[in-house]
Amino acid sequence: MTEKKSPYCGCLLYTANALSRVITKMAEEEFAVVGVAPSHCFLLMTVHNDPGIQASGIAEKMMLTPSTVTRLVEKMEQQRYVQRITDGKYTLVYPTKKTNDVYPAILESWQNLFRRYAEVLGEEVARQLTAEIYSAALKLEAR
Amino acid sequence: MTEKKSPYCGCLLYTANALSRVITKMAEEEFAVVGVAPSHCFLLMTVHNDPGIQASGIAEKMMLTPSTVTRLVEKMEQQRYVQRITDGKYTLVYPTKKTNDVYPAILESWQNLFRRYAEVLGEEVARQLTAEIYSAALKLEAR
DNA sequence: AAATAATGGTTGTATGTACAACCGAATGTT
DNA sequence: AACATTCGGTTGTACATACAACCATTATTT
């Protein structure tokens, strides 16, 4: 039998990156109906569920660096999905009506993404794998 | 008990991306002694182990798109790590002495990366997780 | 109160990656 | 032989993300 495995398939760097790319692509397809990229959709969900959240809070919830959050918020502000209000040294982020309007579509796309990969991997396997990956990410981050 | 879990930790998109970022950062640290970025090191390993490999072959082994391979090879050619030789419509990539010289250091850094995450996750867990992730990536890619 | 440090955020620049459009070479069809 | 198709690769452009340097604002120390 000729299993054509990659010579790097035993390396977590390689496999994690490969999975990230493939699931990101799937997500882009699913979120396309919303007209907003997946990472931006996560931002909108975060802000919708916690209006007035601080930039640093977003960074924490989304596990991203502050500079990345600035960039995401910036772009969504340009497109009038959110509004930034500076209060002293803090920056508070609020959703606009536009976000509230697309919110249901975002949730639906997100559900569809779930369904889609669960169908391929098996629901239980998917859930389990997701949990293991999350646990590993946390442990490795704490280094 | 106050487990501070992310609201998105049940989503494979989120967890896979988070893991990818954290392991990539670790890899950057380890491969820093080589002076070559992780993805470029993988390219060099690939070319070293198969001198004269075609661009498409690199794409397959590394699970990347052709355009990405062009970019990687381009950059390593600029730095004289590899040489491209066009043969009709094919492009063959050869390692130079520079690659052969750093190859041992690359292998060593790669080993160190393994050790480092295995230490955090446990060797067996790491191996198992890597395998599961790879399997999932393959299945999802086949869509 | 002045000087210093810490905190929160933004900006310039860089990396990894992809898609779509393209170009030249090879192959197939009439 | 002329044309069309396919194949392999490159290029323009874009996105997600980060780091390091920076700028305000707030807190701490002297």
Side-chain angles (χ1 to χ4, degrees):
Chain A
M1 32 142 253
T2 36
E3 288 260 350
K4 220 204 246 154
K5 292 197 299 182
S6 158
Y8 307 119
C9 69
C11 174
L12 185 58
L13 170 63
Y14 176 80
T15 62
N17 284 345
L19 179 61
S20 167
R21 288 194 297 269
V22 77
I23 186 83
T24 296
K25 201 202 256 176
M26 253 171 118
E28 271 160 8
E29 287 164 17
E30 290 306 326
F31 284 105
V33 308
V34 182
V36 178
S39 61
H40 293 124
C41 285
F42 276 90
L43 173 66
L44 297 188
M45 287 197 279
T46 306
V47 173
H48 175 95
N49 291 329
D50 194 349
I53 187 173
Q54 256 177 262
S56 56
I58 297 174
E60 196 186 317
K61 287 213 172 145
M62 294 185 63
M63 252 181 146
L64 295 174
T65 61
S67 74
T68 301
V69 171
T70 296
R71 294 282 142 79
L72 290 177
V73 172
E74 208 169 67
K75 184 155 277 187
M76 293 325 276
E77 191 174 47
Q78 274 165 21
Q79 293 172 44
R80 320 264 171 236
Y81 280 101
V82 302
Q83 201 193 348
R84 252 183 299 198
I85 291 182
T86 296
D87 173 21
K89 71 175 172 180
Y90 305 105
T91 295
L92 310 181
V93 184
Y94 293 91
T96 64
K97 179 169 180 315
K98 203 172 174 188
T99 288
N100 294 329
D101 287 349
V102 294
Y103 189 68
I106 290 177
L107 283 190
E108 172 137 9
S109 291
W110 199 26
Q111 285 282 90
N112 289 342
L113 176 61
F114 272 101
R115 267 191 227 103
R116 196 161 147 207
Y117 67 68
E119 214 168 273
V120 178
L121 302 179
E123 188 148 341
E124 205 31 59
V125 173
R127 205 185 307 279
Q128 183 67 23
L129 179 64
T130 303
E132 281 165 11
I133 289 175
Y134 184 62
S135 152
L138 286 187
K139 280 181 196 155
L140 291 175
E141 206 179 42
R143 213 145 316 179
Chain B
M1 32 139 254
T2 36
E3 288 260 352
K4 218 202 246 157
K5 291 198 302 183
S6 158
Y8 308 120
C9 70
C11 174
L12 185 58
L13 172 61
Y14 176 79
T15 62
N17 284 346
L19 179 61
S20 166
R21 289 193 297 269
V22 77
I23 187 83
T24 295
K25 202 202 257 175
M26 254 171 117
E28 273 160 7
E29 287 164 18
E30 290 305 327
F31 283 105
V33 308
V34 182
V36 177
S39 60
H40 292 122
C41 285
F42 276 90
L43 174 67
L44 296 188
M45 287 197 279
T46 306
V47 173
H48 176 95
N49 291 330
D50 195 350
I53 187 174
Q54 254 176 263
S56 56
I58 297 174
E60 196 185 318
K61 286 213 172 147
M62 294 186 65
M63 253 182 146
L64 296 174
T65 61
S67 74
T68 301
V69 171
T70 295
R71 294 282 143 80
L72 289 177
V73 172
E74 208 169 65
K75 184 156 279 186
M76 294 324 278
E77 192 174 47
Q78 274 163 21
Q79 292 173 44
R80 318 265 171 238
Y81 281 101
V82 303
Q83 201 193 347
R84 254 183 299 198
I85 290 181
T86 298
D87 172 22
K89 69 175 173 179
Y90 305 105
T91 295
L92 310 182
V93 184
Y94 293 90
T96 65
K97 178 168 182 314
K98 204 172 174 189
T99 289
N100 294 330
D101 287 349
V102 293
Y103 188 69
I106 291 177
L107 283 191
E108 174 138 10
S109 292
W110 200 26
Q111 285 282 91
N112 289 341
L113 176 62
F114 271 100
R115 269 193 225 101
R116 194 160 149 207
Y117 67 68
E119 214 168 273
V120 178
L121 302 178
E123 188 148 341
E124 204 30 61
V125 173
R127 205 186 306 280
Q128 182 67 23
L129 180 63
T130 304
E132 281 165 11
I133 290 175
Y134 184 61
S135 152
L138 286 187
K139 280 181 196 155
L140 290 174
E141 206 179 42
R143 210 144 320 175

